[in-house]
Amino acid sequence: MRAGLILLSLLLLPTLLGLAACGPLPRPFQPEAKALGDRGLTRPPGEASLAVGPVAGLLPEDSDLAAAELAAELRRYNLAAAAGPGNAQSVHIDGRYTSEGLLWLVSDPSGGILATERQTLGAREEAFLRGEPDTLSAVMAEAAVLLLPEIEGKEVVGLPGHPGARLVIAPIEPAPPEAARLLASSMRVSLSQSALPIVEPEQAGPNDLWLRGSVRIGPPQAGRNRVDVIWELFDPQERSLGRVSQGDMVPTQQLSYFWPDTAPYIAEAAVAGVVDLLYKTAAGQGAAQ
């Protein structure tokens, strides 16, 4: 009950900051990404280096579900896959139902064809077309195995706009101890779910980017405190590439139990801003102006 009241009260707070490139986010602490030097985007941000498109020829809901199931199966093989349009560096997997079964097409980021595969359905065809969940899952699991030889080694590894780099989440400071711990763990989960490569500080390499977070809690005003969460992205030379700022007014009496209920939502909203920054700062071009 307490968690529900907290979330409800936060959702009713006025949105003070928004991410223009990605549109309004239906969460508290919506981010504002400020890149140091906007170099423009030719494609919108994506989430994975393997982008699985809807399976054509099926009902819309089954088409999207099939894509999600296939992406989930590919992630079981430690491939960074997600259903959706992907990003400017994504290898694309597109499927189509035909009278002969499923036709799969693997293409590179520029649209060049890397491979095609056919998958027969046999006696499962009728159940598959009805969208029966168990059959659909089994067919997508089989598709993943079929496609593995065609996509392993062809996946673009690295962060959007920064091939070969990973993201290092530095300890969050300054911040209240509980906020630092919960925000860091929540950010790791949200970045992993977005198929972005992350690494612990002690495993950082010379090409990795650093994400540093901090929390500021302002003095009480009319029973509320301003809470700001700042995420700043740094290149391997410790030059700032930009920051994602989030903030809302929080009832003072809720601060003592605020973070366990809210940290996951803050991290989830911040990821969109982090991806936006990655795209706006090409590798080696992120020095502050």
Side-chain angles (χ1 to χ4, degrees):
M1 177 63 73
R2 184 181 70 181
L5 289 175
I6 294 172
L7 182 55
L8 179 60
S9 65
L10 286 170
L11 290 173
L12 293 176
L13 292 175
T15 300
L16 300 178
L17 298 174
L19 178 61
C22 298
L25 294 169
R27 297 290 190 190
F29 287 84
Q30 299 186 55
E32 176 185 344
K34 297 181 179 178
L36 300 177
D38 186 349
R39 292 167 175 79
L41 304 178
T42 56
R43 292 191 185 184
E47 292 185 343
S49 49
L50 282 174
V52 183
V55 179
L58 304 179
L59 294 174
E61 59 269 25
D62 295 333
S63 175
D64 292 337
L65 181 58
E69 288 279 354
L70 178 55
E73 288 294 331
L74 292 171
R75 288 196 295 272
R76 293 180 57 191
Y77 294 95
N78 295 319
L79 296 173
N87 56 54
Q89 299 177 30
S90 293
V91 169
H92 293 266
I93 302 173
D94 297 288
R96 175 179 293 277
Y97 169 75
T98 71
S99 59
E100 298 178 357
L102 291 172
L103 175 64
W104 296 102
L105 178 68
V106 182
S107 56
D108 65 22
S110 64
I113 298 176
L114 298 174
T116 59
E117 288 289 343
R118 286 195 176 275
Q119 181 182 7
T120 58
L121 297 174
R124 303 171 297 179
E125 184 171 9
E126 186 175 336
F128 179 77
L129 292 176
R130 288 198 303 267
E132 293 187 3
D134 290 345
T135 302
L136 191 146
S137 294
V139 170
M140 291 303 107
E142 181 183 282
V145 174
L146 181 70
L147 291 167
L148 276 176
E150 306 298 339
I151 59 179
E152 284 185 312
K154 297 174 182 176
E155 179 190 21
V156 179
V157 179
L159 297 170
H162 301 262
R166 302 167 298 177
L167 197 58
V168 185
I169 303 174
I172 297 176
E173 55 186 8
E178 185 178 41
R181 178 177 59 85
L182 292 174
L183 282 173
S185 62
S186 296
M187 181 57 82
R188 288 188 186 92
V189 170
S190 293
L191 290 170
S192 297
Q193 290 175 341
S194 295
L196 295 177
I198 61 174
V199 66
E200 296 299 321
E202 59 270 18
Q203 300 172 321
N207 297 319
D208 294 334
L209 305 183
W210 286 75
L211 184 64
R212 303 185 185 278
S214 62
V215 177
R216 301 170 185 168
I217 300 178
Q221 297 179 355
R224 293 175 180 268
N225 294 70
R226 171 79 185 187
V227 177
D228 288 293
V229 180
I230 310 296
W231 306 94
E232 191 160 8
L233 190 64
F234 291 88
D235 70 7
Q237 288 73 45
E238 290 293 315
R239 297 174 298 188
S240 177
L241 300 177
R243 62 175 58 185
V244 176
S245 302
Q246 301 167 275
D248 266 317
M249 299 298 294
V250 178
T252 302
Q253 63 182 3
Q254 293 181 1
L255 286 175
S256 61
Y257 50 86
F258 175 76
W259 297 106
D261 293 309
T262 315
Y265 299 115
I266 295 175
E268 180 183 341
V271 167
V274 172
V275 171
D276 189 53
L277 281 180
L278 290 168
Y279 269 92
K280 289 182 177 179
T281 55
Q285 298 179 355
Q289 295 183 343

